[in-house]
Structure formats: structure tokens, C-alpha cells
Amino acid sequence: MTQTQKKDLPACPVETTLTLIGDKWKVLILRDLMPGTKRFGELKKSIGGVSQKVLTAQLRDMEHSGLLTRTVYPEVPPRVEYTLTDLGKSLKPILDAMQNWGEAYRQSV
């Protein structure tokens, strides 16, 4: 992350986290990449309901934020894979907490 990006982040740590992963699609991308590397098509299929344009934009934004890496292989057709960085993997406890809360909520209603 560059100095310019750091200056643009909110002062509140919770708001910073929401800025980086507060989008529905980003959380689902993180969920799907936690077990390991996936190709674009695998992500689109497993997330479902997201357009190719939106998924591409979200992945690029997450790459720009340092949460994942994008690897393009010079093949025909081109193969593109996405992998979480250590920074992206560090969000696992947050996703686990969201999953636990969601399960508890579903049981309570």
C-alpha cells in the first residue's frame, strides 16, 4: 500500500476495514479464496449472481489494496489465477467470526 493510499484511509479502524472488505462481493471472494488459489471462472461460478464486470472490478480493487495477487499465465486461452496475500489471509478470523455469528443468528430466528 502506498503512502497516498494510507492517507486516503479513514481514521477509524472499523471504517478502514469496511472500506477494504465492506462490499458483499469482496467478502464472498475472500471466503472462496481462503482455502487456496482459484481461477476467475471458478470464482464467478462459486459466488453466483455477480456479473463478470463487477467481479473483475472487485478483484482489481482487492489486488490494488494488497489483499490478493493476480497471476496471468501466457497460454491460449489465457489462464488467470487469484491468490490471497498474507494480508488477505489475515482476515480469516473476521470471516470466521462472521460465519459463527450468522449461524447463531439463523438458529435464533
Side-chain angles (χ1 to χ4, degrees):
M1 187 172 289
T2 66
Q3 287 293 64
T4 305
Q5 288 173 304
K6 287 182 182 179
K7 283 190 235 175
D8 294 339
L9 291 174
C12 172
V14 173
E15 193 176 349
T16 297
T17 305
L18 287 173
T19 298
L20 294 173
I21 66 164
D23 183 277
K24 169 185 173 182
W25 304 119
K26 288 180 182 174
V27 173
L28 296 178
I29 291 166
L30 287 168
R31 176 201 67 190
D32 287 355
L33 288 177
M34 279 298 164
T37 300
K38 284 207 173 27
R39 294 174 69 170
F40 183 88
E42 293 174 307
L43 285 171
K44 185 164 182 346
K45 188 175 187 178
S46 66
I47 292 172
V50 63
S51 71
Q52 185 166 332
K53 179 180 177 181
V54 169
L55 181 57
T56 298
Q58 297 295 306
L59 288 165
R60 293 279 166 97
D61 192 42
M62 293 173 73
E63 180 183 16
H64 184 70
S65 299
L67 298 177
L68 58 81
T69 58
R70 176 178 183 262
T71 306
V72 181
Y73 295 91
E75 301 173 355
V76 177
R79 178 171 48 117
V80 180
E81 293 182 343
Y82 296 90
T83 306
L84 290 179
T85 60
D86 288 341
L87 182 63
K89 290 176 186 172
S90 72
L91 291 164
K92 186 171 181 355
I94 294 170
L95 294 181
D96 289 345
M98 290 172 71
Q99 179 179 352
N100 292 338
W101 188 91
E103 287 173 356
Y105 178 78
R106 288 176 63 147
Q107 290 175 3
S108 71
V109 292

